[in-house]
Amino acid sequence: MGTILEVKNLKKYFPTPRGMLHAVDDVSFQLEEGKTLGVVGESGCGKSTLGRVILHLLERTDGTILYNGEDISKPSKQELKQLRRKMQIIFQDPYSSINPRMRVADIIGEPMRIYKTCASREEYDSRVAELMDTVGLAKRVADVYPHELDGGRRQRIGIARALSLDPQFIVCDEPVSALDVSIQAQILNLMQDLQEERGLTYIFITHNLSVVKHISDDICVMYLGKLVEKCSSRELFQNNLHPYTKALLSAIPRPKIGGTPDRIILKGELTSPIEPKAGCRFAPRCLYAKPECFQTTPELAEVRENHFVACHLVKEVNGL
């Protein structure tokens, strides 16, 4: 399988009264077809903005986006319309992302009506019924409105709508964060089954490290718009190297009888993402920071095979 998505030096800045806010700053990665790339980090790190820029829901400030080897950084209106058939998104809040005045069947079928993918009403109805069955929605909910359903079924509506045009690539923007734990497992299992059946490629955005471990092949860790670590899921949980990643993983709840959890407590002030100065953005909160960390921005470099870290002290901290 080849590379379906390649992002090079992608940037997204927002103007503010105090200067430009660097929401996504010089991000690069590749994603293979049929794989899942997890993007993790605390709230405000830019992970949702990254997904929306890739899909052109927000336009990039700079950088290059390649999809199946073609440069889609500045698509025309017609090109963008065709890309929408191949690239879809599942939003975080299933209720605010669907029209509350439309019935379930109409919400799922709307993309097919816009793109005129069905030759007849019978084909359209059959396709909607098939999609509802695929995501586990009962036929009896076809004529109900979103407010009559629980969060799990609303999210299934969002997934069915994303699948309606048979896309190749889907950005999953925290698709289970608003759901109960039992429902989260159902939605995650559904997404994995769909990926296996249809060969889908995912970018899975979340702040839940337990979830990203379950579903991802590779993981990117973001901090204030920058990638700080990138490697396979197994490698990240067994041999994490960046101090920020270590702190994130230490926050995962683990049952422990007696004693206190081995958690890394981060102190210090967050670096402002507005016109940030040179240096590591994590340095003010880092336990190992030295003067050079505040003066020079670390580059994302390969320190082990297919394991990339942006840290001046990565070898010193990890004894490499």
Side-chain angles (χ1 to χ4, degrees):
M1 290 183 288
T3 299
I4 190 171
L5 179 72
E6 184 174 1
V7 171
K8 298 179 181 178
N9 309 113
L10 191 63
K11 299 178 181 180
K12 178 58 183 178
Y13 299 165
F14 294 98
T16 74
R18 292 168 48 203
M20 300 300 289
L21 188 152
H22 294 210
V24 176
D25 203 356
D26 204 23
V27 168
S28 301
F29 63 83
Q30 292 182 350
L31 178 56
E32 289 186 12
E33 187 178 357
K35 300 290 187 180
T36 299
L37 175 68
V39 181
V40 300
E42 56 194 292
S43 297
C45 71
K47 53 189 186 296
S48 292
T49 302
L50 173 63
R52 290 167 189 252
V53 170
I54 290 170
L55 295 179
H56 293 283
L57 297 177
L58 295 170
E59 288 307 319
R60 86 209 198 297
T61 301
D62 196 11
T64 306
I65 306 168
L66 300 175
Y67 184 75
N68 282 328
E70 296 184 14
D71 190 339
I72 61 166
S73 304
K74 294 180 66 175
S76 65
K77 287 187 177 180
Q78 188 59 35
E79 289 170 339
L80 185 57
K81 185 174 181 180
Q82 293 307 312
L83 281 173
R84 293 278 183 255
R85 300 189 64 164
K86 303 173 185 176
M87 308 168 72
Q88 285 288 316
I89 184 170
I90 300 170
F91 292 97
Q92 177 177 357
D93 184 351
Y95 191 59
S96 64
S97 62
I98 54 183
N99 190 333
R101 298 186 179 186
M102 293 177 68
R103 300 174 306 144
V104 169
D106 294 331
I107 293 169
I108 294 172
E110 185 178 26
M112 294 187 289
R113 292 197 304 274
I114 293 172
Y115 282 86
K116 299 179 174 61
T117 60
C118 298
S120 64
R121 181 69 191 193
E122 290 75 18
E123 182 183 351
Y124 170 84
D125 291 339
S126 174
R127 177 67 175 148
V128 170
E130 178 189 339
L131 286 165
M132 290 182 64
D133 183 61
T134 298
V135 301
L137 286 170
K139 292 181 180 179
R140 59 185 172 80
V141 305
D143 293 325
V144 306
Y145 291 89
H147 72 270
E148 301 176 69
L149 302 175
D150 57 41
R153 283 187 283 187
R154 288 176 193 161
Q155 194 59 286
R156 290 173 189 268
I157 296 170
I159 294 172
R161 180 179 60 181
L163 293 173
S164 62
L165 297 176
D166 290 321
Q168 298 172 309
F169 167 67
I170 301 178
V171 172
C172 310
D173 186 6
E174 305 210 35
V176 297
S177 64
L179 307 179
D180 293 338
V181 174
S182 59
I183 305 300
Q184 285 184 14
Q186 294 176 21
I187 297 299
L188 288 173
N189 289 334
L190 169 63
M191 292 178 65
Q192 287 183 307
D193 290 342
L194 290 169
Q195 183 176 39
E196 189 174 332
E197 293 168 7
R198 297 169 178 245
L200 296 172
T201 305
Y202 294 144
I203 284 183
F204 194 93
I205 297 166
T206 183
H207 61 268
N208 189 327
L209 286 158
S210 298
V211 167
V212 82
K213 180 181 180 181
H214 177 70
I215 198 170
S216 299
D217 297 294
D218 298 298
I219 298 177
C220 291
V221 181
M222 286 190 72
Y223 185 79
L224 291 181
K226 288 277 194 181
L227 290 191
V228 296
E229 190 159 4
K230 181 175 64 170
C231 60
S232 69
S233 178
R234 180 187 294 272
E235 176 74 6
L236 188 85
F237 282 86
Q238 291 182 352
N239 300 303
N240 46 84
L241 301 178
H242 196 281
Y244 176 62
T245 307
K246 293 178 183 293
L248 277 181
L249 294 178
S250 77
I252 299 175
R254 296 182 179 90
K256 186 174 182 180
I257 300 174
T260 56
D262 300 323
R263 290 183 180 167
I264 299 172
I265 307 300
L266 296 178
K267 300 178 181 179
E269 293 293 325
L270 283 168
T271 301
S272 172
I274 299 175
E275 303 291 355
K277 298 177 182 178
C280 176
R281 295 182 188 179
F282 184 62
R285 304 171 75 192
C286 183
L287 300 173
Y288 312 99
K290 293 186 175 182
E292 65 180 298
C293 301
F294 294 89
Q295 298 165 1
T296 309
T297 303
E299 297 293 329
L300 193 69
E302 188 173 19
V303 295
R304 286 181 174 169
E305 187 178 0
N306 295 321
H307 192 153
F308 298 82
V309 182
C311 177
H312 293 305
L313 307 176
V314 60
K315 294 183 178 180
E316 181 179 331
V317 170
N318 296 280
L320 299 176

